[in-house]
DNA sequence: GATGAATGAGATTTCATTCAT
DNA sequence: TATGAATGAAATCTCATTCAT
């Protein structure tokens, strides 16, 4: 597929909007084509089939999503700051594109195991970013090292994901960005009441 | 619908197995009927439509799931113990029924927003259980009270959910129960290295 | 497939007419269904797919076709008489059902090699009938025995087939039955001028 | 159309190979263009449409085919010899180009009635060659004159055609040329055992 | 003449649901 | 209650053809 052609992006962007507005199952190829301003058949010059639009969409958008998070976190000093930035950037990016938020949190999960597997490939890169921050924190003697890092990074992702999903299910009626600090605080300190 | 008749349960149980084994999109009503040993038409004497099977399945199975968690946690003394029991019972129950695990973690998410909304209704009861434990912990001066409880209970659910989903995606090849203590420890203490 | 149900025959018969009148490529399943007086989906209760209609049609109709030829030829005494009866019955049967003639001579050949292969299976039975007549004729010291029988039966079939195809291509504007005696005479005596 | 340009032949030859190897229905215009080393659009500078490729292919190849038969038969003395040469040359030419054999015997028949009609136009010239040999044989008092010549020439064509088709269907695993003498003998003498 | 990206009409097949028995 | 044969709407994808460059 020719990923550098403008029509490729045109179709991806149309797909995000159409899927967000109509739901995955009501997003016929013809609807996406119409929104993209191309003929139905043109879709198939750029994508193998309908599912390939979804996969490409996810790879494309999540690629940018993670890249942005990588950039932002790198510029911070401590692991704790990096983690806060990660949560903030995660929330902000999805808050900034409410169509994309619907697609990633709801519609993209309506896919079969095979597609989910490919989605997970993309997420591995995100988990690696979290992992690195954890490693830094441990080296800094700031984070505990008695927990399975692979598990912890999943848990952190699970928290952010659930927070965003809930916000989308609630029709994005509050500011998800406002929750970043609390989520970060919970990740860092857990539930226990620590005397400072 | 006649929820007390044996055929009602028969169909629900068949649906869990069929969906787990074939995936949501390959689970035709006729396949479920065959597994349940009834005629296609009989399904519609007990359920309004196909979606109603899914909702009923979730209500039925999740009802028992949460009930069991309520029972187990009640018998514990402290909020911390209750939380550990909650995580353990959550993991154990899904580990004990691998068909149900597949259905709740993967296949049931392939439904539309409307169905997800009904599923969330059921989950509210679960969130209430978590909420109560949080409240107790705060009263016991064990848990911090500076966090939005509604958010925190979501985050806790998100962690467990992600842990189980990952285990299912990895074809249940490890013991999810083994992660309960670590998840609990992470929830309680967070990432920070606390001097004991 | 349930070949004894009346709907099975209904669909086959509709298919013959629709294909004869519209040509194979313009014979949509929906057109056949309409002619048969059933819903589109009903077709698929009796046939695996569209091609299966064609195969079944051929097996069904050709089965009867060959059976009739077997019956008619059996009742004749000499191999020569049997051969005449075979040619006559071949021509008569197709002359009696002009829709079927179009389908077997033109439309059914528009199929891929796989289907042709299945068609050839059916024709084997016909070739066997010719073969037996040849054998009898040789035993009667009436037919020469210096020719490869497998080849000769093909040639005989080829002659009749070409005669019928030509008649169909000419829109069945003459009586194909009138050619039976000449075809028979040519098969028996060939081109050579024999002094009687 | 510009039939003398090299690209015209290039495309025809590519079409023979592509159709023989992929079958008629899998022989997209783009595939033929690729094989011919031209752009899709270029095809339409030389042919009106896809069907025109087929017709031109048949006219071109069959033109040569018949020409060769005309040449070879002319050089023979008697009608009987000419007929043997005709059968031999028919078989030999198709044996020499197995791609063409597949195309003429199988794939080209998968066309609609309209195309078949045009194909028949081409065949008329072939039938005329046979006709002339028959006429000569009758004049020579070698062939009987009690048969409809138009019918007989069809029957002769039908025999050769069926023999070749069977050979192609059997994946050309035997030497079709070996059958020429027998076919000729059968045409000349028929089935009857003549005392010499 | 040559290109090849874009077009868009069109048909098979599935499957949730119904209803006469 | 229970059945299961019949329904029919609906959508992906292909590919011959065009036309701006």
């Amino acid at each position: 597929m020719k990923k550098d052609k403008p029509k490729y992006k045109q179709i991806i962007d149309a797909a995000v909007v159409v899927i967000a507005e109509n739901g995955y199952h009501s997003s016929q190829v013809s609807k996406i084509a119409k929104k993209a301003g191309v003929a139905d058949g043109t879709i198939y010059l750029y994508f193998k089939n309908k599912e390939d639009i979804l996969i490409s969409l996810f790879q494309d958008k999540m690629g940018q999503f993670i890249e942005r998070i990588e950039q932002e976190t790198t510029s911070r000093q401590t692991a704790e700051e990096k983690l806060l930035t990660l949560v903030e950037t995660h929330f902000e990016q999805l808050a900034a594109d409410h169509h994309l938020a619907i697609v990633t949190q709801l519609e993209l999960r309506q896919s079969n195991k095979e597609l989910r597997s490919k989605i997970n490939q993309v997420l591995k890169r995100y988990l690696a970013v979290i992992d690195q921050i954890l490693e830094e924190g441990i080296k800094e003697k700031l984070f505990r090292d008695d927990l399975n890092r692979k598990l912890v990074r999943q848990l952190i992702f699970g928290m952010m994901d659930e927070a965003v999903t809930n916000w989308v299910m609630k029709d994005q009626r509050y500011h998800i960005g406002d929750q970043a600090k609390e989520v970060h605080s919970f990740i860092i300190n857990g539930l226990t009441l620590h005397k400072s």
Side-chain angles (χ1 to χ4, degrees), chain A:
Chain A
M1 306 298 140
K2 307 115 192 183
K3 306 209 171 187
D4 47 339
K5 283 293 195 71
K7 257 169 208 180
Y8 179 83
K9 285 199 80 62
Q10 225 168 292
I11 294 165
I12 292 261
D13 289 337
V16 173
V17 176
V18 169
I19 293 172
E21 287 180 350
N22 301 279
Y24 178 66
H25 286 113
S26 299
S27 295
Q28 296 84 348
V29 170
S30 62
K31 221 177 240 170
I32 296 171
K34 197 172 184 183
K35 187 77 163 193
V38 301
D40 292 17
T42 305
I43 299 272
Y44 293 88
L45 296 177
Y46 295 90
F47 301 91
K48 223 174 37 243
N49 51 36
K50 193 185 173 185
E51 193 174 67
D52 190 38
I53 305 178
L54 261 199
I55 296 171
S56 304
L57 179 163
F58 191 77
Q59 290 173 334
D60 200 75
K61 296 296 181 185
M62 275 302 114
Q64 295 171 38
F65 182 92
I66 295 169
E67 221 157 275
R68 173 83 194 288
I69 287 177
E70 285 172 336
Q71 289 171 3
E72 296 292 333
T73 54
T74 305
S75 66
R76 306 293 154 162
Q77 296 291 326
T78 67
E80 203 185 303
E81 281 171 341
K82 285 180 191 215
L83 196 60
L84 176 59
T85 301
L86 181 137
V87 178
E88 281 174 346
T89 315
H90 186 131
F91 286 1
E92 273 166 20
Q93 284 192 89
L94 289 170
D97 189 344
H98 68 284
H99 282 139
L100 184 62
I102 292 169
V103 172
T104 61
Q105 302 309 121
L106 302 185
E107 304 303 336
L108 222 57
R109 323 250 159 152
Q110 299 181 34
S111 46
N112 55 41
K113 204 182 170 185
E114 193 194 333
L115 175 51
R116 277 188 76 103
S117 180
K118 286 185 184 168
I119 287 176
N120 276 8
Q121 290 303 316
V122 180
L123 288 183
K124 271 191 183 163
R125 200 174 140 200
Y126 193 11
L127 292 178
V129 175
I130 302 178
D131 201 72
Q132 217 182 331
I133 296 176
L134 291 178
E135 195 186 356
E136 285 180 37
I138 291 167
K139 272 196 191 142
E140 294 170 11
K141 304 276 183 200
L142 234 148
F143 293 168
R144 42 198 292 215
D145 68 350
D146 62 331
L147 295 175
N148 179 341
R149 244 162 50 210
K150 291 208 172 187
L151 175 60
V152 170
R153 66 190 193 181
Q154 271 167 35
L155 300 180
I156 292 172
F157 178 79
M159 281 188 267
M160 293 188 295
D161 195 52
E162 184 66 25
V164 178
T165 297
N166 190 70
W167 166 74
V168 172
M169 288 293 294
K170 294 279 193 299
D171 293 327
Q172 318 189 352
R173 277 197 287 265
Y174 54 91
H175 293 282
I176 178 74
D178 294 350
Q179 302 189 325
K181 279 207 168 59
E182 277 188 295
V183 172
H184 175 254
S185 171
F186 179 64
I187 294 172
I188 292 295
N189 290 308
L191 281 175
T192 305
L193 183 67
H194 302 290
K195 287 144 197 178
S196 55

